[in-house]
Amino acid sequence: MCRPSKIWLCLLAAWTCLSFAQSSETSPYRPSFFLSPYQVEWDSNIDNIRTNYTINSPVLKNSANSINNNYAQKIAIGLPDNYSVGISDLYVQSIVSNPLNINAATPGFKNPVVSAAKIWTINSDVLLKALGSVQPNLGVKAGVSTYNLGISAIFIGPNDWQTSLGINETTNDADYGGAPTLSGTISKQIGLYVINATAGVTHFPSILMTTGYASSSYLYSGTLELSRQLTDQLWLGASYSIGSNQYTYTQNFMSIPFNNRTLYNSVGASLKVLF
């Protein structure tokens, strides 16, 4: 059995030692993948996320790092007429906490996320996919209910190239407004391997609070992902992500500005199984 400290070694061994014939099944890491009626997909993910949070103001200058491990599970099932539904959950393990970042993820289980999707075939080269999810406030962790709705266009090119361009909006019931995200993915399949490169930008609206005002800001992010088919129904993936966000919070008392910067990078591993 692999100890937690050797999990990456075990995944690397599985990656390099297992070699099976490729099936005709589309990789679930491809943008064009969609579940067939009553086909089931189980996803398991682990991400090691390192975040640097910096505050710079006339009264406070400080910087600190945090490290979290995120463990996510999702199960989804395909339905007739090109629909699918799923449910997922997330557990956050805090390795190094950052007292400066009040927005940092808190340890423990999060409220589950219920999702649904629908895909349309426009022609042999273009697909249209709609996604929606709800994270209800069930009391697993105190907070608000969160909603997400998005749509993406998928373009299937020659020589196993695919691209997708999508937009989605995340909002909640705390009247903080929506956070739209524009993202694009380039995907290439080479034998048993799939390489994905994704870039995105998220706009956070300004927020007026009782203690001050937070300016609008943008989160810029990027991900490089490599996956490999291990058996007819099993895929293994590895990813590296980076992100950056800056905003200014102005305190009501003496109108003191606090410039906040968040930089993160994460290394992840994932497993996808089809039934």
Side-chain angles (χ1 to χ4, degrees):
M1 180 179 293
C2 293
R3 297 180 180 179
S5 60
K6 297 182 179 180
I7 186 171
W8 300 111
L9 220 66
C10 297
L11 289 171
L12 182 60
W15 185 291
T16 55
C17 293
L18 292 176
S19 179
F20 300 91
Q22 182 181 13
S23 75
S24 59
E25 182 77 62
T26 300
S27 168
Y29 288 91
R30 295 283 267 171
S32 63
F33 174 78
F34 202 80
L35 289 169
S36 302
Y38 309 113
Q39 185 180 31
V40 175
E41 178 183 351
W42 172 63
D43 295 348
S44 183
N45 299 269
I46 176 173
D47 293 283
N48 178 261
I49 304 173
R50 298 170 180 263
T51 304
N52 174 264
Y53 187 78
T54 301
I55 298 177
N56 189 352
S57 77
V59 296
L60 176 65
K61 298 180 187 295
N62 211 336
S63 180
N65 298 318
S66 64
I67 303 175
N68 290 335
N69 285 333
N70 286 3
Y71 304 90
Q73 302 286 326
K74 179 180 180 179
I75 189 166
I77 183 171
L79 298 175
D81 299 322
N82 293 326
Y83 286 95
S84 71
V85 293
I87 186 169
S88 61
D89 199 8
L90 172 69
Y91 179 82
V92 176
Q93 177 191 21
S94 178
I95 307 301
V96 177
S97 61
N98 184 346
L100 294 178
N101 187 2
I102 61 174
N103 297 317
T106 54
F109 284 101
K110 305 304 173 186
N111 291 306
V113 177
V114 180
S115 59
K118 164 77 172 174
I119 195 168
W120 295 268
T121 301
I122 306 303
N123 55 49
S124 60
D125 298 325
V126 181
L127 305 174
L128 197 63
K129 184 185 295 186
L131 302 167
S133 68
V134 178
Q135 187 178 29
N137 180 20
L138 301 178
V140 177
K141 279 291 182 182
V144 296
S145 296
T146 303
Y147 312 93
N148 183 279
L149 185 63
I151 192 165
S152 61
I154 301 158
F155 306 94
I156 301 174
N159 302 318
D160 289 321
W161 283 97
Q162 292 185 8
T163 58
S164 69
L165 184 64
I167 184 170
N168 69 77
E169 175 102 1
T170 300
T171 187
N172 56 50
D173 53 12
D175 296 326
Y176 282 165
T181 298
L182 180 66
S183 63
T185 298
I186 299 175
S187 178
K188 170 68 174 176
Q189 181 153 0
I190 305 174
L192 297 173
Y193 295 88
V194 172
I195 303 172
N196 293 330
T198 301
V201 57
T202 301
H203 176 256
F204 297 104
S206 58
I207 303 175
L208 181 62
M209 296 169 281
T210 56
T211 57
Y213 171 81
S215 65
S216 63
S217 64
Y218 291 90
L219 168 66
Y220 301 96
S221 60
T223 299
L224 183 63
E225 182 178 54
L226 175 65
S227 61
R228 186 187 193 278
Q229 183 179 9
L230 300 181
T231 71
D232 285 350
Q233 297 174 301
L234 177 65
W235 287 260
L236 181 68
S239 63
Y240 177 73
S241 300
I242 57 174
S244 173
N245 172 249
Q246 297 186 63
Y247 73 95
T248 299
Y249 170 76
T250 303
Q251 196 176 62
N252 287 338
F253 178 71
M254 298 180 63
S255 298
I256 300 174
F258 293 81
N259 296 314
N260 302 269
R261 185 193 68 180
T262 302
L263 302 175
Y264 78 84
N265 67 84
S266 70
V267 178
S270 60
L271 196 67
K272 295 179 182 289
V273 184
L274 299 179
F275 301 95

